Structure formats: C-alpha cells, structure tokens
Amino acid sequence: MKISEIRLTVVGIPRSTGFVSKHVIVELDTDEGLTGIGEMSDFSHLPHYAVDVFDLKHSLEDILLGKNPFDISLINKELTANFPEANFYYEKGNFIRNGVDAALHDLCAKALNISVADLIGGRIQEKIKVCFPIFRHRFMEEVEENLAVVRTRLAQGFDTYRLYVGKNLDADEAFLDGVKSEFGSKVTIKSLDFSHLLDWKSALQATKRLSKYEFQMVESPAVQNDFDGLHHFRIKADHPVSEHVWSFRQQYEMIRHDSVDIFNISPIFIGGITSARKAAAAAEVAGKGCLMGTTQELSIGTAAMAHLGSSLVNLNYTSDPTGPELYIADIVKNPVKYENGYLLVPGRDRPGLGMELDWNLIEQYRVKDLSWGQVSVHQLQDRTTQTK
C-alpha cells in the first residue's frame, strides 16, 4: 500500500465566543482505495504568522507520495527534518506533523480494521476525565459571565475546571470566591494556568494570593523555557506543577532540572501521536505524572487524543481536551461524545480514529487560507472578539 494523494482543506469554525479558529483537515489517499484523515488543529496562536497551504501541500507531497503509510517512524523522521522542533510552545511545525501523523495512524488502523487505540497498544480505559476551560479574565465584568459558564456546564456534567489566570488577579480571585460560595464541593478547580504570562516570582506571589481557594495544581508558572525558574517555583509552591511538552530537548531539560511534577502532553504541541507516546514514556521513566493538554481541537484531533490517552499507563491526572464543546459546529458526522465530565473513547466498532467527514459542514465552513488578517495579538492570545 502506497500513499497516492494528499489533500489539505482549511476550515474556519467560530467558537461560542465568536472568535474563529482555523484548522486544516488532512486526507491521505492510497493506491488501495483507503483514506486516512487527520487534523492540524487551531492555527489561531501566537506567533502572529500563517502557513501558506499551497506551499505546504507541495512540501508534504515531496515527503509522503509513494511511501508506505505503515512506515510511521521513518515518515516522522523525515517530517521532523523538514518541520523541526523550534523549542517554542506554539510552533507551527508541530501542528503540521501532528495532522499528518494522525492521518497515518487513522489510515493504518483502517487497513487492519482496528481502532487507533488498538494499533498503538490497546485500551487501558474507555473514558478519560476532562476539565472545562474558564478563559482568562481581563475585566471584572467577565467574572459573572464565567460563573454563568460554570452553571451551564455543570448542568451538562462538567464538574472540573481549568482557570486561566494572571492578567487580572482581582477578577481571578472574585471568580474563585464566586465558585466557592455558589457551588462548594460540587465543583473542582483542577488548575491555575498562567500560560507563561508571568515570571516565576510573580506567578508564585499570585499563587499564594489565590491559595485560600482549593485547586489541584499550577500550570506554566514561568516564562517559556525558564527551567531554573520553573524549578524554583516548584520548590517554593505547595501545589504540584505542570508544564506542557513542546520538544524533546525541552522535556529533557525539565527532567534534568527537576522542574515539574506533571507533564502536560498533547499531540498538537509535540508533533503527533508518535511523539506524544515517546514523551509519555519519558515521563514514566522519570517518575512523573501525565495529563493530556489541548489547543481546543475539533473532533478529529480530540479523537486522536482519546485513543492516545486510552493506551497510556501513566495518564493519572484530569486532562484538558474539551475543544468540540467550545465550537458552534464540527466537520464530522459523528462528533466525539462527553458523559458526566468524561471524554468517551470512540468504540472498537469504528476503525481508525472513528471519525467520518461531513462534507456539507466542511463546505459551509471552508476558507481559502490560514491568514489572520487584522486580528490583534491579544485576540489571538485570549481567543476573544472583544477589544475593550
């Protein structure tokens, strides 16, 4: 079996906030009539530049056409040579490799008539505990809006939340106080997520201020790649520290500096299921826990994470992939499902990732390219349409 054609389709799907996130649907056809699909998820990140999809398609054709899709390791080696790790959180090359790698796994599992989870080692669990994101407060009036989000989502079964913090601590504190007063033990705050906005000393001060409220961990409480600062924060903080893995060199440095307790591992940020499995194995060897992070994927990308998470022996913390719940639409006929705060892993009766494209929806949301035009930096950072 050989890869015979590559198609990249760009869609722009609005979030419930009104912000439009752009994704690339990857299709890999073979000479035996099978097609694997993947997702280059949510290019709406800093740095503020876009990939040329026409050039990207031709680059991937040079790498992939004529290859055996089961040569996943060899293909990933070539993808990394062409789209190398840059030691940066939102590196677009990782997004590209992730989409192709997911399509390869989908294609190979379909060829064997098994699920991706079974392809990569089998299922340890059929559902994964997830949390719902509460996006960063910039203004005090957003507190009540976010409390309303908790009311709505709690009624839908989401009882655990990740709170982005660090821009307006007064509002962060008001929100946590509101959660405690209104919901009590019904709601769990999984983490305070600083997203590298503050240096470690400022993040430590903020964490101490907010520690009167209960939360399980602190995420990204230092500037990117400040391994010493992350270590100092971890030593002085009373809560476990989590950080994303966006390159193997960065993960090595975090292990060497003993900077974290929990590795936040997501295929989108490390470059695919193949790389994510390596990162999880390195975490296991280092005696660290894992959770699955997110960039807020659509159902294809989220299904890939569900299959990955179902096979990990050290996925021992609440994970983040609730992306499909944040968008007003999806691009598949059978979106992933959530039940009582858990992401359900697609069943064994659906080979590959278990996703089927819906071309009516794709045509409705198709856009010509990944350009962001006049979108401002803070809109990209906070995924908002508000400019006040």
Side-chain angles (χ1 to χ4, degrees), residues 37 39 41 102 106 116-117 120 123 128 267 273 292 297-310 321 324 330 332 334-338 343-346 350 352-356:
I37 60 174
E39 178 184 304
S41 312
D106 183 57
V116 166
I120 61 178
R123 299 164 185 244
I128 297 163
I273 294 172
M292 280 197 305
E297 296 81 354
L298 298 173
S299 277
I300 297 171
T302 305
M305 288 192 289
H307 285 280
L308 170 67
S310 75
D330 214 310
V332 295
N334 51 339
V336 295
K337 295 181 179 179
Y338 296 87
L343 168 62
L344 304 185
V345 183
R350 292 150 60 182
L353 294 174
M355 296 287 107
E356 182 181 356

Side-chain angles (χ1 to χ4, degrees), residues 22-320:
K22 295 188 177 182
H23 315 259
V24 178
I25 303 165
V26 181
E27 296 176 273
L28 302 181
D29 289 344
T30 70
D31 57 359
E32 295 185 7
L34 288 175
T35 299
I37 60 174
E39 178 184 304
M40 299 176 187
S41 312
D42 193 8
F43 274 85
S44 56
H45 280 291
L46 297 172
H48 198 173
Y49 66 82
V51 175
D52 185 282
V53 180
F54 179 82
D55 288 344
L56 176 59
K57 180 178 184 294
H58 285 282
S59 296
L60 291 176
E61 286 173 342
D62 285 343
I63 297 168
L64 296 171
L65 292 185
K67 295 287 177 57
N68 182 343
F70 280 95
D71 290 335
I72 293 177
S73 294
L74 182 62
I75 292 172
N76 267 275
K77 182 178 180 181
E78 192 165 352
L79 287 170
T80 301
N82 284 272
F83 306 100
E85 293 183 340
N87 230 24
F88 182 73
Y89 185 19
Y90 297 128
E91 170 53 38
K92 311 296 195 206
N94 291 346
F95 290 26
I96 293 166
R97 289 187 285 116
N98 172 60
V100 174
D101 188 61
L104 290 170
H105 279 81
D106 183 57
L107 182 53
C108 292
K110 285 176 176 174
L112 298 173
N113 198 33
I114 60 175
S115 74
V116 166
D118 294 324
L119 178 71
I120 61 178
R123 299 164 185 244
I124 295 172
Q125 53 191 331
E126 296 290 343
K127 60 182 181 179
I128 297 163
K129 182 64 176 176
V130 294
C131 62
F132 200 86
I134 300 297
F135 291 105
R136 192 167 283 109
H137 298 98
R138 292 174 298 134
F139 315 107
M140 188 61 74
E141 53 263 42
E142 292 173 324
V143 171
E144 180 52 42
E145 296 173 8
N146 280 332
L147 288 172
V149 171
V150 176
R151 291 185 200 106
T152 299
R153 295 299 180 171
L154 181 60
Q156 297 171 349
F158 293 99
D159 61 356
T160 305
Y161 296 83
R162 173 169 53 110
L163 175 63
Y164 289 89
V165 297
K167 274 197 173 180
N168 187 329
L169 288 175
D170 291 337
D172 296 336
E173 185 169 359
F175 172 81
L176 289 169
D177 191 69
V179 168
K180 180 180 179 180
S181 299
E182 182 173 348
F183 304 105
S185 61
K186 295 179 181 179
V187 164
T188 298
I189 301 297
K190 186 202 81 170
S191 61
L192 305 183
D193 188 344
F194 286 94
S195 303
H196 318 109
L197 289 180
L198 303 180
D199 63 83
W200 75 267
K201 290 184 179 179
S202 299
L204 183 63
Q205 291 175 342
T207 301
K208 289 181 176 179
R209 173 178 172 178
L210 299 176
S211 289
K212 67 181 78 172
Y213 306 100
E214 293 186 8
F215 52 90
Q216 295 178 338
M217 68 183 74
V218 181
E219 299 194 73
S220 305
V223 297
Q224 290 188 35
N225 298 323
D226 181 8
F227 309 113
D228 286 324
L230 202 55
H231 171 78
H232 289 312
F233 181 97
R234 177 173 178 257
I235 294 301
K236 295 177 183 296
D238 294 327
H239 292 79
V241 175
S242 170
E243 183 56 280
H244 301 76
V245 179
W246 52 77
S247 79
F248 292 118
R249 177 67 191 188
Q250 175 239 7
Q251 186 179 26
Y252 164 77
E253 292 292 346
M254 287 192 288
I255 293 171
R256 189 169 74 88
H257 286 79
D258 201 17
S259 296
V260 300
D261 303 286
I262 306 158
F263 284 115
N264 183 318
I265 296 172
S266 176
I268 186 69
F269 293 126
I270 190 62
I273 294 172
T274 300
S275 293
R277 293 178 66 203
K278 292 179 182 178
E284 183 182 4
V285 170
K288 305 294 185 181
C290 284
L291 64 86
M292 280 197 305
T294 184
T295 182
Q296 311 306 349
E297 296 81 354
L298 298 173
S299 277
I300 297 171
T302 305
M305 288 192 289
H307 285 280
L308 170 67
S310 75
S311 71
L312 296 181
V313 298
N314 57 336
L315 185 67
N316 39 24
Y317 291 90
T318 300
S319 293
D320 299 337

